[in-house]
Amino acid sequence: MIALGRLGVDLYPLRTGVPLAEVDTFGKFLGGSPANVAVAAARLGRRTALVSRTGDDSFGDYLRAELKAFGVDARWVEPVPELPTPVTFCEIFPPDDFPLYFYRRPEAPDLRITAGSLDLDAIRAARVLWATGTGLSAEPSRTATLTALAHRRRAAHTVLDLDWRPMLWDEAERPHARAHYAAALAHATVAVGNIAECAEATGHRDPDAAADALLAAGVTLAVVKQGPEGVLAAHRDGARVTLPPVPVEVVNGLGAGDAFGGALCHGLLAGWPLATTIRYANAAGALVAGRLACSSAMPRADEIDALLGGTA
């Protein structure tokens, strides 16, 4: 599996239920959604790699070391000398309020990935490519993302995580986001997103309508995450399942979607039935939602099996 895109340092408060102004102790973690998905899949025994960029600084050194420690191949994670490594802060107000503060100025290094720097042979050969909507937000990353997706020639499994984070798009680019999503979806076999992300990509907030629009855009599998209402997964062959979330006492919900993504890839690679894959991914997300961190909180297979009663 190869993931492409965002990478940075997460600085998360070690006190919950208070604003950042009152926090005096933070934990430092590897962050960035594609990086977390790669870590999640590695925790489940998959060979994973990340294509990204950092600053040429100590935080960048930390991230490359963390990737290697998590078992993620970091050969394509390169430093950009003139830019700092991004840092993200959050506030933690369980069960459902987790504001994020992104420091990615003057520009995030991961948006400097170029099409010419990609190892297209490796991207074509990977059993999964995981790309994100944030990669479409600016050049040269947009062309690199579309080039990687197109080079797959719709090979399974070519995943687009819709990953709509408007604060990471320049104001002038936001009106064009749907067109960029359409260009990416034309090359993807799987689309994953929550209701807000699906609405941005398709214009539909109704889960079934959004799934239908994603299938019409060209994907084989549409996965629509609905928070407490569960997950809808619709396949081009007509299969359609909606499964509830796995109950958990939420500590920090920010990493749950990335754990879901890594487990989704694991299930797709294993060839499991659709319902089994989504149930397993829901359980992975629940375990991380019950923990403070993101990357270091990604569950192992035995933890997911235990939560599901050994029936995964």
Side-chain angles (χ1 to χ4, degrees), residues 70-93:
F70 284 128
V72 178
D73 189 335
R75 77 179 83 173
W76 296 305
V77 179
E78 300 174 358
V80 178
E82 66 271 23
L83 295 175
T85 298
V87 175
T88 302
F89 290 87
C90 78
E91 293 175 318
I92 301 176
F93 297 102

Side-chain angles (χ1 to χ4, degrees), residues 9-13 15-21 23 26 87-103 165 167-168 250-255 292 294:
V9 175
D10 285 345
L11 293 176
Y12 283 3
R15 292 177 61 195
T16 65
V18 297
L20 283 178
V23 177
F26 295 83
V87 175
T88 302
F89 290 87
C90 78
E91 293 175 318
I92 301 176
F93 297 102
D96 58 2
D97 186 18
F98 307 101
L100 281 168
Y101 303 88
F102 292 96
Y103 291 81
R165 298 182 183 271
M167 71 288 289
L168 302 185
V250 175
V251 175
N252 181 1
L254 291 175
L292 175 66
C294 292

Side-chain angles (χ1 to χ4, degrees), residues 205-270:
R205 295 192 66 86
D206 175 77
D208 283 289
D212 289 340
L214 291 170
L215 293 173
V219 303
T220 301
L221 175 63
V223 180
V224 182
K225 298 181 286 187
Q226 306 172 68
E229 302 303 315
V231 175
L232 164 66
H235 197 278
R236 182 171 296 281
D237 67 8
R240 189 170 294 230
V241 298
T242 299
L243 293 176
V246 176
V248 66
E249 184 175 346
V250 175
V251 175
N252 181 1
L254 291 175
D258 300 334
F260 180 98
L264 173 69
C265 292
H266 181 62
L268 291 172
L269 288 171

Side-chain angles (χ1 to χ4, degrees), residues 2-295:
I2 296 177
L4 171 66
R6 200 163 71 250
L7 174 65
V9 175
D10 285 345
L11 293 176
Y12 283 3
L14 300 183
R15 292 177 61 195
T16 65
V18 297
L20 283 178
E22 299 178 24
V23 177
D24 54 9
T25 307
F26 295 83
K28 180 179 67 175
F29 306 99
L30 178 146
S33 183
N36 285 335
V37 170
V39 170
R43 279 276 170 90
L44 297 174
R46 298 296 176 180
R47 292 178 57 208
T48 66
L50 179 68
V51 180
S52 192
R53 301 289 182 269
T54 68
D56 190 8
D57 51 26
S58 294
F59 274 157
D61 295 340
Y62 162 75
L63 291 172
R64 279 181 287 277
E66 282 292 277
L67 287 167
K68 293 174 184 176
F70 284 128
V72 178
D73 189 335
R75 77 179 83 173
W76 296 305
V77 179
E78 300 174 358
V80 178
E82 66 271 23
L83 295 175
T85 298
V87 175
T88 302
F89 290 87
C90 78
E91 293 175 318
I92 301 176
F93 297 102
D96 58 2
D97 186 18
F98 307 101
L100 281 168
Y101 303 88
F102 292 96
Y103 291 81
R104 291 167 58 85
R105 298 295 180 184
E107 182 184 8
D110 51 73
L111 294 178
R112 288 283 186 91
I113 300 169
T114 64
S117 70
L118 298 176
D119 186 337
L120 291 176
D121 289 340
I123 285 171
R124 180 70 178 85
R127 295 179 66 196
V128 175
L129 174 69
W130 184 281
T132 75
T134 297
L136 302 172
S137 66
E139 292 289 6
S141 173
R142 181 184 306 127
T143 295
T145 300
L146 292 173
T147 298
L149 290 168
H151 196 72
R152 298 274 297 173
R153 299 175 187 171
R154 302 190 58 79
H157 302 281
T158 304
V159 185
L160 179 67
D161 176 4
L162 300 178
D163 187 41
W164 170 242
R165 298 182 183 271
M167 71 288 289
L168 302 185
W169 289 64
D170 288 339
E171 189 172 345
E173 288 288 349
R174 291 177 200 165
H176 307 292
R178 189 170 300 169
H180 297 322
Y181 276 120
L185 287 166
H187 301 293
T189 64
V190 181
V192 183
N194 61 31
I195 293 295
E197 292 165 340
C198 289
E200 182 62 32
T202 71
H204 298 283
R205 295 192 66 86
D206 175 77
D208 283 289
D212 289 340
L214 291 170
L215 293 173
V219 303
T220 301
L221 175 63
V223 180
V224 182
K225 298 181 286 187
Q226 306 172 68
E229 302 303 315
V231 175
L232 164 66
H235 197 278
R236 182 171 296 281
D237 67 8
R240 189 170 294 230
V241 298
T242 299
L243 293 176
V246 176
V248 66
E249 184 175 346
V250 175
V251 175
N252 181 1
L254 291 175
D258 300 334
F260 180 98
L264 173 69
C265 292
H266 181 62
L268 291 172
L269 288 171
W272 292 342
L274 183 57
T276 302
T277 297
I278 299 302
R279 184 167 177 264
Y280 192 87
N282 276 347
L287 284 167
V288 174
R291 300 169 177 175
L292 175 66
C294 292
S295 54

